[in-house]
Amino acid sequence: MSESKFETISSLVDNYRATSDKSSVDKALDDILKDEHLTSVWQNYHLIGDVMREEVADTLEFDISQQISDAIAQEATILSPNNSTTPNELITETYSKTSDVTSEQQALPQSSNVISAQERFKAKVVKLLRPIGQVAIAASAAGLMIVGVQQNSADNNLVEPLIPSQVVQTVPLSGFANPVSFNVNADSNQQTQQMTAKQKNAQRIAQQRRFQALLLDHQQQVKLQQAPTIEKAK
Amino acid sequence: MKLFSAFVLFVSVNFSAVAVENDDAKVWLERLSQSLRQLNFNTSFVVVKNNQAEPYRWVHGVDDDNFELEILARLNGPRRDILRKGTVVSYIEPEQDVYSVASNALNGPIPAIFSADISELEENYRFISVGRSRVLGRAAQLVRIVAKDNHRYGYWLWLDQQSALLLKMAVITRQGQLLEQIQFTHLDISEKMSEGLLQLQGTDLPIPLDLSHNNQERNFLWQVNWLPDGFTAIKANRHRMLSNRKAVEFMLFSDGLVDVSVYVNPAKEKLRATEFAHDGATLVLNQVNNGLEVSVVGKIPLTSAKKIADSIGAAPIQTNVKQ
């Protein structure tokens, strides 16, 4: 505990650096922080300074830091925030949703009525698997609805292409970034101009969902048709 | 119209040595239909749309009893397989459990009519044999299926000179703009059925759904007053939409080649301007008028879809009384 250290503390308290060498000052500060005695010296020097300048409060609280750290230690530990809906609820919701779909289409006539132990086990497995499936659907649906702008070459090609190979030239097989854009046509411009960007965005998402739902349902309904020849045969 | 086809003919005379009569084109399409039903083939193709490529594998075979077996599998993303044994078609999709439909064609990216009676299309389309080119390393014959009116798109088919199987297909607007194409990447024609089909032969597919009662709803308070010539109602029903569970009244129309869906349901808003988006050649159009939401989906031009949507009006009075 050399005299020079006290000197350094003193000069630091007065906001004055004894040496211009930065590293040595840093080292001195480190020493002060590590040494309990030196930190109390630091504290005392400040108190002395305050008293001399008549800046002392009416009641002297010598060590607030200790109180604060005690208070923190007593706080309850929160590891993660609570979800408003538990994962289980979510899963069952999606599960019931999908089973609705099938029952409506008579794909699963009886299986949902009979719940044997085995069924329950199966249901559990399904519950486990379902969310993954849902993510996959979302991804695939998103993939489906990557909608390209179709206006690009209309003007250049007003005349029927002369040779068939032009078709190949217009759009190469691959090697493009996917344009995620809608060529949306909104007539009511005055209305849209008044909207905030946030509203517009929400509207756009709602619109995308609508298109996506329609496209998926169209594809589904096309599949759910009996061949005319078979219908005739009935 | 005549001018147009004369022009096309003129162009083909000029640019390819082989410009042939429409009869020849029909013969090609009949050969295609026959090959699709009778050959054992194992093939892969990519559907190119929106600057995106979706790969598929397609296997078809006929067993000794002339019984058709077919598998169409999408190779990227979640599994979407379609299996067919004769007149039972099963769809394996991530959205729902496996289900079967009684049908003699699977419903994939390639129109089912190509393996059926192609002459059904003659009323609304013209078949034009254009010329030869080279596709998939083979000599190919280009046949165009051109719409007689301007309410639908044209289909260009490149057929293998030897087997008449499809090598490439493009959906093209009247202005000659390419919307969507299917490029085959591999084609194997064999004497015997492939291994996968033999496995399918031993598998039992789910019993087909009975769709007859589900498809003949007659009591709608609305009707579609305009459709391009040749479109007929395939089915009509009330259902909930697959993804958002919204209740809709639905009609499906077809001209043999193209399917068009019409959805009608009450909306929260009173009025919403017409919105539309393209997915390849498929157009999705949506508008709200007087609190009634009308949507049209199908591979038709925007003008046709808009005209269909605008033509929806109240059904005749006797239907109203019934309700």
Side-chain angles (χ1 to χ4, degrees):
Chain A
M1 219 46 54
S2 63
E3 200 68 17
S4 73
K5 280 218 170 111
F6 292 125
E7 229 164 78
T8 325
I9 292 172
S10 175
S11 56
L12 281 171
V13 166
D14 293 336
N15 209 6
Y16 171 77
R17 254 180 252 148
T19 53
S20 56
D21 184 10
K22 197 167 177 297
S23 62
S24 70
V25 175
D26 285 348
K27 195 183 169 291
L29 279 170
D30 277 346
D31 286 344
I32 295 164
L33 286 169
K34 273 179 211 149
D35 195 317
E36 214 170 296
H37 178 69
L38 285 178
T39 48
S40 69
V41 169
W42 167 268
Q43 207 168 12
N44 286 338
Y45 281 7
H46 267 289
L47 185 59
I48 291 163
D50 285 350
V51 170
M52 278 158 72
R53 287 189 293 270
E54 293 184 335
E55 284 173 357
V56 199
D58 293 340
T59 49
L60 284 178
E61 289 284 354
F62 283 110
D63 196 355
I64 306 174
S65 63
Q66 193 52 44
Q67 289 170 13
I68 291 169
S69 60
D70 283 354
I72 291 169
Q74 274 164 16
E75 283 275 327
T77 319
I78 301 167
L79 287 175
S80 66
N82 278 332
N83 267 333
S84 51
T85 39
T86 63
N88 253 343
E89 278 168 0
L90 259 165
I91 291 161
T92 42
E93 194 192 309
T94 51
Y95 182 54
S96 66
K97 234 199 239 169
T98 42
S99 65
D100 273 356
V101 175
T102 46
S103 64
E104 199 184 16
Q105 286 154 351
Q106 288 86 38
L108 271 177
Q110 284 103 21
S111 63
S112 52
N113 301 341
V114 191
I115 303 173
S116 62
Q118 198 192 351
E119 282 290 317
R120 249 179 259 143
F121 171 69
K122 198 182 155 197
K124 265 181 199 163
V125 177
V126 173
K127 274 183 193 178
L128 278 172
L129 291 175
R130 213 44 94 153
I132 303 162
Q134 298 281 329
V135 172
I137 296 161
S140 69
L144 261 175
M145 277 311 287
I146 294 179
V147 173
V149 183
Q150 304 287 352
Q151 296 157 333
N152 39 12
S153 59
D155 297 336
N156 313 335
N157 275 343
L158 276 173
V159 192
E160 184 99 3
L162 303 183
I163 353 170
S165 63
Q166 278 202 349
V167 174
V168 191
Q169 288 160 5
T170 0
V171 175
L173 265 175
S174 60
F176 269 93
N178 300 325
V180 188
S181 57
F182 278 96
N183 41 358
V184 170
N185 163 10
D187 289 335
S188 56
N189 272 333
Q190 295 167 333
Q191 217 184 352
T192 43
Q193 270 168 9
Q194 287 163 3
M195 278 180 203
T196 63
K198 201 178 173 187
Q199 274 174 317
K200 268 187 190 167
N201 200 28
Q203 205 184 38
R204 207 181 128 86
I205 289 168
Q207 185 188 49
Q208 282 192 10
R209 288 223 180 99
R210 258 197 312 271
F211 286 147
Q212 202 167 310
L214 283 167
L215 196 65
L216 272 176
D217 196 77
H218 167 74
Q219 283 162 353
Q220 173 76 11
Q221 290 296 331
V222 166
K223 282 173 195 161
L224 286 172
Q225 56 175 309
Q226 285 168 6
T229 46
I230 293 173
E231 261 169 20
K232 273 175 208 156
K234 268 188 176 179
Chain B
M1 189 61 241
K2 280 205 174 125
L3 252 171
F4 173 75
S5 57
F7 172 69
V8 170
L9 203 67
F10 172 73
V11 164
S12 5
V13 170
N14 270 311
F15 281 90
S16 68
V18 221
V20 218
E21 296 296 305
N22 287 6
D23 280 350
D24 190 58
K26 200 187 166 192
V27 170
W28 272 109
L29 292 176
E30 276 164 355
R31 276 187 66 195
L32 165 69
S33 164
Q34 206 178 1
S35 297
L36 286 177
R37 277 178 283 130
Q38 295 176 354
L39 289 181
N40 292 316
F41 61 84
N42 181 347
T43 173
S44 307
F45 61 86
V46 281
V47 178
V48 184
K49 56 180 183 185
N50 313 330
N51 291 330
Q52 247 204 333
E54 276 171 25
Y56 288 84
R57 180 144 181 265
W58 185 20
V59 192
H60 176 273
V62 184
D63 73 4
D64 301 334
D65 307 323
N66 231 359
F67 192 74
E68 281 183 78
L69 294 153
E70 206 169 353
I71 299 173
L72 179 71
R74 199 172 79 165
L75 301 178
N76 282 3
R79 274 192 80 162
R80 264 169 211 286
D81 294 1
I82 309 175
L83 312 174
R84 177 164 87 98
K85 283 176 84 173
T87 58
V88 179
V89 180
S90 294
Y91 293 92
I92 301 166
E93 292 165 349
E95 291 94 347
Q96 53 201 304
D97 291 316
V98 182
Y99 62 92
S100 295
V101 178
S103 171
N104 44 21
L106 43 77
N107 212 304
I110 293 158
I113 188 77
F114 291 162
S115 51
D117 181 10
I118 203 86
S119 60
E120 278 178 38
L121 298 180
E122 272 181 313
E123 197 189 319
N124 302 298
Y125 296 90
R126 212 180 292 278
F127 308 140
I128 301 167
S129 175
V130 181
R132 296 166 183 230
S133 60
R134 185 170 164 273
V135 179
L136 193 62
R138 290 161 181 260
Q141 174 72 37
L142 171 58
V143 176
R144 293 191 199 163
I145 301 178
V146 183
K148 287 183 178 174
D149 55 28
N150 52 11
H151 302 305
R152 54 204 119 200
Y153 296 134
Y155 286 72
W156 293 14
L157 309 179
W158 283 260
L159 306 177
D160 182 24
Q161 292 262 358
Q162 272 187 336
S163 64
L165 280 175
L166 202 56
L167 297 179
K168 183 175 161 178
M169 184 185 108
V171 184
I172 309 239
T173 66
R174 268 186 106 66
Q175 285 75 39
Q177 187 195 342
L178 175 73
L179 297 178
E180 193 174 311
Q181 66 178 332
I182 292 173
Q183 168 69 57
F184 283 73
T185 53
H186 159 248
L187 175 64
D188 254 355
I189 301 164
S190 56
E191 283 291 306
K192 284 184 186 169
M193 276 208 301
S194 70
E195 195 62 32
L197 291 176
L198 288 172
Q199 264 181 28
L200 175 64
Q201 202 170 26
T203 319
D204 284 329
L205 296 179
I207 300 159
L209 311 174
D210 180 18
L211 298 167
S212 48
H213 66 284
N214 190 23
N215 292 334
Q216 302 306 328
E217 179 64 54
R218 298 254 179 260
N219 292 333
F220 290 154
L221 293 172
W222 53 274
Q223 65 179 26
V224 179
N225 291 316
W226 183 85
L227 280 163
D229 286 341
F231 274 93
T232 49
I234 299 294
K235 60 181 191 173
N237 63 36
R238 293 190 174 88
H239 68 265
R240 284 183 181 278
M241 293 232 276
L242 199 58
S243 54
N244 60 10
R245 314 293 302 138
K246 196 159 73 176
V248 288
E249 295 190 336
F250 168 83
M251 285 188 87
L252 182 71
F253 302 93
S254 173
D255 71 348
L257 184 58
V258 179
D259 294 298
V260 175
S261 292
V262 174
Y263 298 84
V264 173
N265 58 282
K268 282 178 200 146
E269 299 117 299
K270 196 98 185 88
L271 190 83
R272 191 167 63 221
T274 309
E275 296 165 336
F276 63 91
H278 282 109
D279 174 44
T282 310
L283 175 83
V284 188
L285 179 137
N286 177 276
Q287 66 182 30
V288 177
N289 238 333
N290 288 325
L292 204 65
E293 184 173 0
V294 174
S295 312
V296 178
V297 188
K299 291 187 179 180
I300 48 171
L302 176 62
T303 46
S304 314
K306 176 72 177 150
K307 211 170 163 189
I308 293 171
D310 288 342
S311 81
I312 286 167
I317 292 161
Q318 70 238 49
T319 327
N320 280 331
V321 171
K322 248 186 175 174
Q323 292 272 306

